Amino acid sequence: MLGKKSPAVNTRSPRITGICGAGRSVGTTHLAVWSANYLASCCQKKTAVVEWSSHSDFVHLCLDDKNGQTARAFRLLEVDYYPQGEKEALASCIRSGYEEILIDFGPVRQEIRAEWFRCQIRILTASLSEWKLEAFLEFLAEEEELGKGWSCMAAFGSKAIRYEIEKQFRIPIEKIPFSEDVFQVDKTAMAWFGKRFP
C-alpha cells in the first residue's frame, strides 16, 4: 500500500508521459521505472507510474504480504505504482495532485494508440537487434505523421542499423544509456534525463 508521506498537493495539471514499445522486451518498463526514479529523487516531483498492459510486470516489484495478491497501488522509493491501472488509475492520479505521471503501455497496439497520442510526451522504445526489428519497422511504415512531442529510443542494436533507419524514415533514434539498476540515477543518467524531462 502507499506510504503515509504526502507531499504538498500540486494544483497544476500533471505532465503525462506515455512509453510504449515496438514489441516485447525492448526496455519499456525499464525506462518507465528509471525515468520515474529520476523525476522523484533528482527533481523532487510527486510521481506515479501507471501500468497499462496485461503483462503484470509490476507484480515483481510488490506483492501484498497478507494474501499474496498484487497491491492495487504501492510506493517504492518515493514513486507510486499502479499495477494494471489503465484508465481508472490514470483518472485517479490526475485528481491526486501528481506532478509527473508516466504510463507504461507495454507493446504498441491498436487499443492504446489513442491514449498514447494524448500524452504530452510520447516515447517509443525499440530494439535495433535484427531479430526484433520487424515490429519497429511496421510501426514506422504505418505512421505517416506522428507530430511533435514524440521520440524514439533504443538501448540495443548496432550503429549501422540505427543509421539506416534514421536515414530511411527521417527520424532520430536516441540511445538509452546503459543502466544496471533502475533505482539508481548517477550523474551521467541525470544529464541524459535532464534533456528529456526539462
Side-chain angles (χ1 to χ4, degrees):
M1 294 301 291
L2 298 181
K4 292 183 179 179
K5 183 179 177 183
S6 261
V9 175
N10 175 40
T11 56
R12 294 184 299 171
S13 296
R15 176 167 59 180
I16 301 176
T17 300
I19 305 174
C20 65
R24 281 284 286 157
S25 302
V26 294
T28 306
T29 299
H30 186 99
L31 182 61
V33 174
W34 197 25
S35 299
N37 280 289
Y38 163 76
L39 292 165
S41 65
C42 301
C43 302
Q44 301 295 299
K45 299 287 183 75
K46 185 178 179 187
T47 305
V49 185
V50 176
E51 183 179 44
W52 198 308
S53 73
S54 60
H55 294 117
S56 304
D57 289 334
F58 287 4
V59 72
H60 303 293
L61 292 178
C62 179
L63 286 176
D64 186 335
D65 293 334
K66 294 178 183 175
N67 56 21
Q69 298 296 312
T70 306
R72 287 188 66 196
F74 61 91
R75 177 168 290 166
L76 189 57
L77 298 178
E78 303 306 314
V79 175
D80 295 337
Y81 293 89
Y82 294 83
Q84 297 183 323
E86 302 193 1
K87 289 183 180 180
E88 183 180 323
L90 177 59
S92 176
C93 287
I94 291 171
R95 293 191 303 266
S96 297
Y98 287 101
E99 296 169 272
E100 301 281 354
I101 301 172
L102 295 99
I103 305 174
D104 175 359
F105 283 111
V108 67
R109 54 204 184 281
Q110 191 60 41
E111 58 266 29
I112 60 98
R113 290 167 81 89
E115 201 62 50
W116 186 60
F117 275 96
R118 282 202 257 315
C119 297
Q120 288 100 321
I121 298 175
R122 299 184 302 279
I123 299 171
L124 177 76
T125 58
S127 171
L128 302 180
S129 301
E130 288 85 349
W131 56 92
K132 288 193 174 183
L133 274 178
E134 186 176 348
F136 182 33
L137 294 175
E138 281 179 9
F139 174 85
L140 294 175
E142 288 173 7
E143 297 298 332
E144 293 181 9
E145 183 58 58
L146 286 165
K148 294 181 180 178
W150 87 285
S151 58
C152 181
M153 300 182 182
F156 318 106
S158 73
K159 289 182 180 178
I161 291 175
R162 181 189 312 272
Y163 174 76
E164 285 302 318
I165 293 174
E166 287 179 330
K167 183 178 175 184
Q168 180 180 348
F169 293 97
R170 297 178 184 164
I171 58 160
I173 302 173
E174 297 182 58
K175 180 168 177 48
I176 300 170
F178 174 73
S179 164
E180 284 186 356
D181 186 352
V182 293
F183 299 105
Q184 292 185 353
V185 183
D186 61 19
K187 289 183 179 179
T188 301
M190 285 176 65
W192 186 81
F193 278 120
K195 295 175 183 175
R196 275 87 204 153
F197 294 99

